């Protein structure tokens, strides 16, 4: 417990912590900021989470609890703008944040920024006042651009900002040791880095049995169900999963179902990838066994994870991968790409299987291995749950962050 209620500003320019997750680029970062913010507040911090107002009909302030709120600042159009097109609005965002601070009569001594856009905001704030910056990348340009065919025009600004931030922030947070290695080998040897993993809600996930979950969702109790949930983005590798199911030997022998959740309807921001995936599903003749429930409401999410026999995280790269933790907390084995943070959350052969990304046949074989051995499937699920409870709760993430904040605030007082 912090002895005095200390203010901390969390900044997440494009990842609004108060929105519905699962559409318009909202994903792990939104969840991380919201959960960290609320857990810090429970531990006695006064938390303001700053984000960009991206819909004119949304309130500018959302109270999550008595000492945790989301503040939406108007910078650029009050409309959805893809993250790669937000850079020009950042100076206005900084001005609005400074105005808010002035009106509220607070002076933040610590800012925790998220993603490179917010890193820029944190560095700009430092030019105005004495403030310590803690930064979580969520995704590193240097890693991401290795896996995309063409870089967006903003790429060089992003890479420069990420390097400057690692070198100047009081602390950069990596969510896995793979991320430390990436920062060191691909970005810069300078700067202070700590490893604090992401977390998950271990009470919500794991609260319902498989049978009850299937009943609740109207799913066949005897079906073999493979589940994907997340944003529709080519780097998420949904195509690999679909092709793997096509190759699966089990597919024709059982009532096999593939549930691909998340994403908006075709025609919306992430609709292009969804349309592409649906086309592949049709081409491979998988339409009758594949379901696209769209964005899954929060209250049904634990049931979907619990109902699944296996949860697939086929990303080409994944800085951390909250979905893997949520599935594991729900006692569902995970088949995940052997990349990024997934290599640390999933223990291959113990809590699931790690498979090289984009290797359809290896994915098919791994999914079949788990689905054809019910006893092993259960063992993997139990071990997965135990691992998450031991290492990955939001409370422990927030305690680690709180310790770091306190240390930085104390050392800045000494200066
Ligand atoms: N999510 C959700 N509803 C959806 C799709 C995704 O709540 O329809 C959540 C999911 O439960 C997880 C987050 O979005 O908490 C995705 O985080 P992850 O780190 O796996 O991927 P990212 O979006 O950061 O790439």
């Amino acid at each position: 417990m912090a002895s005095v209620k200390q203010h901390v500003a969390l900044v997440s320019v494009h990842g609004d912590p108060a929105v519905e997750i699962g559409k318009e680029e909202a994903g792990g970062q939104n969840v991380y900021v919201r959960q960290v913010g609320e857990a810090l507040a429970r531990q006695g911090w006064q938390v303001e989470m700053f984000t960009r107002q991206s819909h004119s009909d949304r309130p500018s302030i959302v109270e999550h609890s008595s000492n945790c709120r989301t503040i939406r600042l108007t910078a650029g159009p009050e409309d959805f703008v893809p993250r790669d097109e937000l850079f020009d609005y950042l100076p206005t965002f900084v001005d609005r944040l400074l105005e808010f601070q002035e009106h509220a009569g607070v002076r933040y001594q610590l800012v925790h920024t998220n993603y490179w856009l917010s890193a820029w905001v944190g560095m700009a704030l430092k030019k105005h006042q004495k403030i310590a910056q803690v930064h979580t990348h969520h995704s590193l340009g240097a890693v991401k651009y290795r896996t995309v065919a063409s870089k967006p025009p903003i790429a060089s600004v992003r890479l420069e900002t990420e390097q400057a931030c690692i070198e100047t922030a009081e602390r950069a947070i990596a969510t896995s040791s793979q991320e430390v290695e990436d920062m060191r080998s691909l970005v810069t040897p300078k700067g202070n880095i700590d490893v604090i993993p992401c977390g998950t809600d271990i009470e919500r996930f794991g609260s319902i049995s498989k049978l009850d979950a299937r009943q609740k969702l109207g799913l066949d109790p005897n079906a073999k169900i493979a589940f994907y949930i997340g944003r529709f983005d080519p780097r998420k590798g949904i195509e690999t999963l679909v092709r793997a199911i096509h190759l699966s030997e089990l597919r024709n022998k059982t009532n096999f179902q593939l549930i691909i959740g998340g994403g908006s309807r075709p025609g919306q921001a992430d609709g292009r990838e969804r349309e592409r995936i649906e086309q592949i599903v049709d081409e491979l003749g998988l339409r009758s066994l594949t379901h696209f429930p769209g964005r899954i409401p929060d209250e049904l999410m634990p049931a979907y994870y619990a109902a699944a026999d296996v949860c697939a995280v086929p990303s080409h790269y994944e800085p951390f991968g909250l979905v893997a933790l949520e599935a594991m907390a729900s006692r569902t084995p995970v088949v995940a790409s052997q990349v990024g943070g997934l290599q640390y959350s999933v223990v291959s052969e113990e809590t699931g299987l790690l498979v090289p990304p984009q290797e359809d046949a290896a994915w098919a074989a791994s999914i079949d291995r788990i689905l054809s051995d019910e006893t092993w499937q259960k063992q993997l699920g139990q071990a997965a749950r135990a691992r998450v409870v031991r290492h990955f709760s939001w409370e422990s993430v927030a305690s680690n962050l709180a310790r770091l904040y306190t240390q930085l605030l104390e050392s800045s007082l000494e200066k």
Side-chain angles (χ1 to χ4, degrees):
M1 232 4 208
S3 47
V4 187
K5 278 202 174 149
Q6 290 261 32
H7 279 268
V8 57
L10 303 190
V11 178
S12 178
V13 175
H14 84 283
D16 184 331
V19 289
E20 290 182 336
I21 310 299
K23 51 186 180 186
E24 288 188 351
E25 295 190 346
Q29 179 176 327
N30 309 58
V31 174
Y32 175 94
V33 175
R34 169 80 174 266
Q35 294 295 333
V36 160
E38 289 196 7
L40 285 167
R42 285 194 294 276
Q43 295 182 17
W45 294 75
Q46 178 70 46
V47 183
E48 267 92 44
M49 308 188 282
F50 293 95
T51 191
R52 199 185 76 86
Q53 176 61 278
S54 61
H55 279 281
S56 53
D57 57 354
R58 286 184 183 154
S60 53
I61 297 187
V62 181
E63 301 266 350
H64 302 289
S65 63
S66 60
N67 49 338
C68 177
R69 49 195 184 148
T70 292
I71 316 289
R72 297 186 171 122
L73 304 173
T74 297
E78 291 191 340
D79 205 347
F80 173 72
V81 176
R83 61 183 88 171
D84 281 347
E85 292 164 28
L86 283 172
F87 183 71
D88 290 347
Y89 306 122
L90 297 183
T92 314
F93 189 95
V94 173
D95 290 346
R96 296 288 100 83
L97 205 163
L98 290 168
E99 279 164 27
F100 177 91
Q101 188 181 235
E102 178 97 23
H103 285 140
V106 222
R107 200 166 177 81
Y108 296 107
Q109 293 178 324
L110 193 133
V111 61
H112 182 162
T113 52
N114 295 273
Y115 196 64
W116 75 273
L117 294 163
S118 311
W120 191 95
V121 168
M123 290 191 288
L125 285 175
K126 281 178 134 180
K127 293 183 188 147
H128 289 271
Q129 67 197 59
K130 194 170 168 226
I131 187 165
Q133 183 178 10
V134 172
H135 181 72
T136 306
H137 283 284
H138 297 275
S139 153
L140 270 178
V143 178
K144 176 168 179 143
Y145 296 144
R146 289 195 304 193
T147 62
V148 296
S150 66
K151 292 183 196 172
I154 200 69
S156 58
V157 179
R158 174 174 180 177
L159 293 172
E160 277 165 29
T161 306
E162 288 179 344
Q163 177 174 355
C165 177
I166 296 174
E167 293 180 355
T168 61
E170 275 56 35
R171 204 62 50 92
I173 307 287
T175 51
S176 70
S177 42
Q178 173 71 49
E179 207 184 345
V180 180
E181 214 177 295
D182 292 339
M183 285 189 216
R184 287 308 185 213
S185 63
L186 301 173
V187 188
T188 176
K190 297 188 199 143
N192 301 312
I193 305 175
D194 276 7
V195 180
I196 301 181
C198 288
T200 196
D201 187 334
I202 55 174
E203 270 148 41
R204 228 178 111 222
F205 297 110
S207 58
I208 181 166
S209 73
K210 181 178 300 242
L211 219 56
D212 289 349
R214 289 196 179 188
Q215 200 172 24
K216 184 169 183 163
L217 300 173
L219 295 167
D220 177 352
N222 300 312
K224 297 283 180 201
I225 301 180
F227 178 52
Y228 168 90
I229 177 74
R231 293 179 297 115
F232 274 71
D233 178 322
R235 81 136 164 110
K236 288 290 186 181
I238 307 173
E239 178 173 354
T240 305
L241 173 63
V242 172
R243 294 195 182 280
I245 299 306
H246 179 242
L247 296 177
S248 157
E249 285 179 11
L250 219 62
R251 178 169 59 89
N252 291 323
K253 296 186 197 148
T254 52
N255 176 9
F256 200 107
Q257 296 188 19
L258 171 61
I259 301 178
I260 302 180
S264 313
R265 307 225 150 270
Q268 287 182 280
D270 52 3
R272 208 174 320 143
E273 176 64 0
R274 173 147 171 196
E275 271 167 39
R276 196 180 73 85
I277 296 295
E278 291 206 36
Q279 211 173 344
I280 298 172
V281 165
D282 286 336
E283 277 163 18
L284 297 176
L286 299 176
R287 179 56 76 168
S288 60
L289 61 86
T290 309
H291 308 277
F292 290 95
R295 181 189 172 269
I296 295 175
D298 285 355
E299 63 279 12
L300 289 184
M301 198 67 100
Y304 269 95
Y305 280 118
D309 290 301
V310 68
C311 177
V313 188
S315 315
H316 299 174
Y317 104 96
E318 193 63 72
F320 190 81
L322 287 181
V323 162
L325 288 189
E326 292 166 2
M328 287 165 69
S330 313
R331 299 179 184 83
T332 299
V334 175
V335 177
S337 294
Q338 195 162 11
V339 295
L342 296 168
Q343 299 168 93
Y344 302 93
S345 48
V346 178
V347 183
S348 200
E349 306 285 340
E350 275 180 38
T351 70
L353 289 170
L354 289 169
V355 187
Q358 292 178 275
E359 294 198 8
D360 309 346
W363 273 80
S366 301
I367 291 171
D368 279 358
R369 245 186 95 194
I370 295 180
L371 295 189
S372 56
D373 184 343
E374 255 178 57
T375 313
W376 190 46
Q377 183 188 318
K378 272 203 190 107
Q379 277 167 5
L380 293 171
Q382 295 297 349
R385 167 86 193 164
R387 179 164 173 75
V388 171
V389 170
R390 205 170 325 120
H391 299 291
F392 302 105
S393 71
W394 284 122
E395 289 308 321
S396 80
V397 174
S399 301
N400 286 329
L401 287 171
R403 211 169 301 126
L404 171 63
Y405 296 170
T406 306
Q407 180 199 328
L408 294 176
L409 288 167
E410 282 171 3
S411 71
S412 78
L413 283 179
E414 284 161 15
K415 282 183 194 154

